[in-house]
Every structure is written in structure tokens, then in C-alpha cells.
Amino acid sequence: TAIPQRPFRPDQAERTEEEEDIFQEALLHLDTVFLNADHFVHLDVPGNLPQHEGEEYRQSSVQSSSLELRAVGSSLQCVSPFPFDNLLAVNGEAVDSIATAERLLSQSAFAEVTLEKHQYGLPNVVPCSDRGWIYLERFITMVVVAMLKEDDFDDTVSANNVELLQEIFDGAQFLRQAAQQDALYQRSSTMSAQSACTSQVPSAVRRAFSEFEDCLKVKKFSAASVDKSLNPALRSV
């Protein structure tokens, strides 16, 4: 099962209003999907850019009213008639917002536009290991594995390189050991039930989660997708 994605080919339509509602709702429940998965497959591969990716070109005598734009991060992406390419300038004047582009386009029926080629939309050139969403997916896998027996790892996780498998295995071990420390402390503690519940001493699991959170803070969330900016519930992520 997959949730509706944004188009990445010229012949694909944008999500319908119903599909957009499904997508936004699904984003809020991805943790449930991951935590109930039976097997996790992680791939770490470099992305090869298409030919002519990022090349700048000019198109003259473009009908001004035909240009449909959307903001993707700090870029102005064409919806039509040059799908996925970024608009850089109109009649030689740089554009930095949809309002500026619309103002310049309204001055004449036809215009010369400067564009940047992106065959499949803005590419995400950030290495997999530095991407925020991928790190979150790996961390959730670590959490699930930590709740299983160590011997279940090979039946639960697959990856295309041993370094990635080792990263997930080590992270799961770290969380599992933290949970074991907390369990041992609870068994040996002489504190009353009430004082234990109100104790402000950070648990080993909390400290472990804090370390993972610190790692997440240095990861990168690409502006190649507008989905995060459109979902208010995800803007603080």
C-alpha cells in the first residue's frame, strides 16, 4: 500500500483534492505504519542526475498567460508549459517570487523566459545518510528492533550494504541496553512508587532518545518536496 505522491513525470497529474486529504492524513500516522511492519528494507544508493539536469536555457515568445507556477522552497517551479523546470527570469529580469513573476508577465502578451532544466523536479542531492526523513525511518527501525530479541534482527531488517545494517543494529542495541538499565534500576530501587513516578532523574531511555534527537538536528530536510510546507502538523519537524 502506498499513499498518493506528487507527479514526477510530465504525463502525471497533480494529486486530486481527495488524494491530497488522504496524503495529509496518512503523514500523521506513519509512525503506526512503521511500528506495525514485519520487515524493513533500507536502500542507500547515490542518485544519478539526468542528462542536462540544472542547465539554463531561454525560451522566447512564450505566451505569458500560459505560464503556471508554484513555489517549491525558494524556487519557482513551472507546472506548465515547462513542467518541473525552474523559472529564473522574465524578459531578462530575475524573479524571486510568484508575485514578481506575475507582475512581469502581465506587462506583455508574450515574454522571453529563462529556465533551469529539471526533468523530474528538483533533485535531492543530499546523501541518504544526511537526509532527515531517511534518518527518522532508520531510527524507527532501531526502535522496533530494540523491542525484539537480538536474534530476530536478520529476519526483520534488510539493507543493500553492511555498513547500514550495522548502523541500525548498533542503534537498536543502544536502545535495548538503555531499556535494560532502566528495568534493572526499577527492580533495585528502594524508592516508593509515588516518588519513583515523580522523579526528575532522566532515565537511560530518555538520554538515549536525546542523543538520537541531537543527531536529527544536524540532518537535512530538502525543499525538493512541498508536502511538508503544506502540512501545518509537520512544519515543526
Side-chain angles (χ1 to χ4, degrees), residues 64-65 67-70 76-78 87-91 93-108 111-114:
S64 298
S65 60
L67 273 174
E68 184 180 352
L69 305 169
R70 65 178 162 218
L76 296 183
Q77 188 181 80
C78 286
L87 177 66
L88 302 179
V90 174
N91 293 327
E93 186 170 340
V95 294
D96 56 6
S97 68
I98 291 180
T100 300
E102 289 178 343
R103 176 178 59 80
L104 294 172
L105 290 168
S106 67
Q107 295 174 0
S108 59
E112 179 187 78
V113 294
T114 304

Side-chain angles (χ1 to χ4, degrees), residues 63-192:
Q63 188 174 358
S64 298
S65 60
S66 70
L67 273 174
E68 184 180 352
L69 305 169
R70 65 178 162 218
V72 179
S74 59
S75 301
L76 296 183
Q77 188 181 80
C78 286
V79 177
S80 66
F82 311 102
F84 305 126
D85 292 350
N86 284 350
L87 177 66
L88 302 179
V90 174
N91 293 327
E93 186 170 340
V95 294
D96 56 6
S97 68
I98 291 180
T100 300
E102 289 178 343
R103 176 178 59 80
L104 294 172
L105 290 168
S106 67
Q107 295 174 0
S108 59
F110 294 89
E112 179 187 78
V113 294
T114 304
L115 301 135
E116 187 177 67
K117 189 66 180 176
H118 294 294
Q119 185 175 347
Y120 301 107
L122 287 174
N124 190 344
V125 297
V126 177
C128 290
S129 58
D130 293 332
R131 297 185 190 183
W133 289 114
I134 289 180
Y135 180 80
L136 283 171
E137 291 166 356
R138 293 177 182 177
F139 173 68
I140 293 173
T141 304
M142 295 174 192
V143 172
V144 172
V145 173
M147 295 187 288
L148 303 174
K149 296 179 180 178
E150 185 176 331
D151 293 341
D152 293 332
F153 181 81
D154 290 339
D155 294 328
T156 308
V157 185
S158 298
N160 66 326
N161 66 59
V162 294
E163 292 83 3
L164 177 52
L165 278 174
Q166 191 65 49
E167 175 189 344
I168 295 172
F169 179 84
D170 291 344
Q173 279 286 78
F174 182 56
L175 290 170
R176 186 183 292 113
Q177 291 170 1
Q180 291 170 346
Q181 290 176 24
D182 283 348
L184 179 62
Y185 174 78
Q186 290 174 2
R187 288 195 298 268
S188 61
S189 176
T190 57
M191 293 191 303
S192 67

